[in-house]
Amino acid sequence: MTSDAASALPDPTAEVVDLCRDLLRIDTTNTGDNDTSVGERRAAEYVAEKLAEVGVESVLHESAPGRANVVARIPGTDPSRGALLVHGHLDVVPADADEWSVGPFSGELRDGYLWGRGAIDMKDFDAMVLAVVRHWQRTGVRPPRDIVLAYTADEEAGSDYGARFLVDNHRGLFDGCTEAIGEVGGFSYSVNDNQRLYLIETAEKGIDWLRLHAKGRPGHGSMMHDDNAVTALAEAVARIGRHRFPVVVTDTVRAFLTEVSDLLGIELDPDDPETAIAKLGPIANIIGATIRNTANPTRLSAGYKDNVIPGRATATIDCRSLPGQSELLERQLRELVGPDIAIEYVQRQPALETTFDGDLVEAMSAALRAEDPGARPVPYMLSGGTDAKAFSQLGIRCFGFAPLRLPADLNFSALFHGIDERVPVDGLQFGVRVLDRFLRTC
């Protein structure tokens, strides 16, 4: 290709904005209920169309009507090497338009940001990968190893109709994959004007979503009643909600805190990591949740009439366990709720942890430093969970690496599932450049 022809091609750092805006304008709300979740097939078809435009064949698999996933493979130059899985989900959590400054599915450009539900969780990364692949196809670039692209449904509700469905029913699509990158990693935290930490996810907490069930004697609301299911449940929920589990510092968190303490000149007391974490500003919420098991009540359900004491009451608890702590967390919860409250697991997916080393980590770090000389990559643990839990069942070593250079004053963690979710346009473009370098060399 001549230089004139190459210069006439779309710039991937410009195209990523259009791709991300298109995806944000597709409402892919995942309510956790097939009857009310929307848009995943439409988004999957959009991705497949954009790949097909540049000659990339993909397959679309529906796990249920409308719950669609797209997978494609980009051949590398060395078929003897293990393939790299690059995965992103297309669904988003619900958004109440009355709470937002812009329409949550408007894809509005304002003040240097692209706004919309999914802007950072995670249609930004979906668009970055599309932009890089489309640029490669137009310019004849081939990666050094096979790249498998997976755009999934249902990540926000446990992945049953997305990554877990693919792993259980179409695992051949991932033959040869040895490593993977996905969401919530590679984002910056500004130390000062010249230095930024880039947090690469090497671990994530387990998902232990459960329901508590209390039983009691039904009766009239006007009577004295000492066997009330609502009362028993409320007391159990309050004990869980107010409880603070013991601090446990894992290898990943210790490595992160050591790096941060050195860079910021903070004294790290191994017996009191919370003091150091409190000095981290906006990312303290993410890191603070990774030094202990957590359990947060999220839903309550009981009764059918104002003057009737119900015989049953139910609560949902969002629990997240540290690596190797899921069974211990269950024992801790049973002690808290007591013998009369039943525990039912809705989702139980393991925590993940890998080491911060190897050629893939070196390639991530080099790509970040090439685009930001002030970059200092560090490992960290994600307090939530991702599709990596499903793909790890195939023996794939998983990382979170969706690179973004963020403004120093942006409270990034508050945007996840938050109001006025948005991504900086220059951060998107930075991500495209980093991914292009990384995927060419990994």
Side-chain angles (χ1 to χ4, degrees), residues 54-253:
V54 292
V56 176
E57 294 184 4
S58 61
V59 293
L60 188 149
H61 289 289
E62 270 195 334
S63 50
R67 314 305 300 270
N69 305 272
V70 178
V71 182
R73 185 178 287 255
I74 313 296
T77 57
D78 185 356
S80 68
R81 292 189 58 194
L84 176 71
L85 171 62
V86 179
H87 60 94
H89 63 86
L90 295 168
D91 61 319
V92 299
V93 297
D96 183 346
D98 292 338
E99 297 176 332
W100 283 56
S101 302
V102 303
F105 300 103
S106 64
E108 184 170 331
L109 271 171
R110 181 195 291 188
D111 301 327
Y113 287 82
L114 189 55
W115 299 60
R117 175 59 86 217
I120 53 100
D121 187 14
M122 60 173 299
K123 292 179 178 179
D124 57 339
F125 181 69
D126 295 336
M128 289 180 212
V129 175
L130 267 182
V132 170
V133 169
R134 284 166 62 85
H135 177 64
W136 283 3
Q137 291 296 112
R138 292 177 179 127
T139 56
V141 174
R142 288 186 65 190
R145 62 200 291 193
D146 283 10
I147 304 290
V148 175
L149 308 178
Y151 289 83
T152 62
D154 198 38
E155 190 274 345
E156 297 291 3
S159 307
D160 286 348
Y161 295 97
R164 294 177 71 184
F165 166 79
L166 292 174
V167 167
D168 290 342
N169 298 279
H170 301 284
R171 63 177 54 206
L173 294 170
F174 309 104
D175 281 351
C177 289
T178 56
E179 297 168 307
I181 62 167
E183 63 177 323
V184 204
F187 60 91
S188 67
Y189 165 73
S190 294
V191 177
N192 52 48
D193 291 343
N194 300 315
Q195 288 186 304
R196 280 154 296 280
L197 296 177
Y198 282 85
L199 282 65
I200 296 175
E201 185 211 309
T202 59
E204 59 183 51
K205 295 178 78 175
I207 295 176
D208 301 81
W209 295 343
L210 53 87
R211 290 197 180 101
L212 305 181
H213 299 280
K215 295 181 180 180
R217 188 177 71 254
H220 198 287
S222 68
M223 303 292 183
M224 299 293 291
H225 206 90
D226 60 1
D227 186 18
N228 190 315
V230 175
T231 302
L233 181 73
E235 290 173 342
V237 167
R239 287 194 295 272
I240 288 176
R242 294 194 182 101
H243 186 73
R244 292 296 174 266
F245 295 89
V247 169
V248 178
V249 180
T250 62
D251 291 342
T252 296
V253 174

Side-chain angles (χ1 to χ4, degrees), residues 301-335:
S301 178
Y304 52 90
K305 197 172 185 296
D306 291 348
N307 63 348
V308 176
I309 297 170
R312 296 175 180 271
T314 300
T316 302
I317 313 293
D318 183 347
C319 303
R320 308 293 173 129
S321 55
L322 294 170
Q325 297 260 315
S326 181
E327 292 183 3
L328 172 61
L329 175 59
E330 181 180 352
R331 294 196 297 271
Q332 293 169 330
L333 290 170
R334 290 196 180 279
E335 291 177 4

Side-chain angles (χ1 to χ4, degrees), residues 2-3 64 103 144 219 229 398 411 414 431:
T2 67
S3 59
C398 297
N411 189 347

Side-chain angles (χ1 to χ4, degrees), residues 84-87 122 125 145 178-186 199-204 352-362 364 378-380 382 386-388 391-392 396-402 438:
L84 176 71
L85 171 62
V86 179
H87 60 94
M122 60 173 299
F125 181 69
R145 62 200 291 193
T178 56
E179 297 168 307
I181 62 167
E183 63 177 323
V184 204
L199 282 65
I200 296 175
E201 185 211 309
T202 59
E204 59 183 51
L352 304 178
E353 188 166 30
T354 188
T355 53
F356 190 60
D357 56 18
D359 292 342
L360 197 72
V361 170
E362 289 299 320
M364 292 179 201
V378 295
Y380 92 108
L382 177 65
T386 74
D387 280 340
F391 294 124
S392 67
I396 298 173
R397 187 185 184 204
C398 297
F399 296 85
F401 187 66
F438 165 69

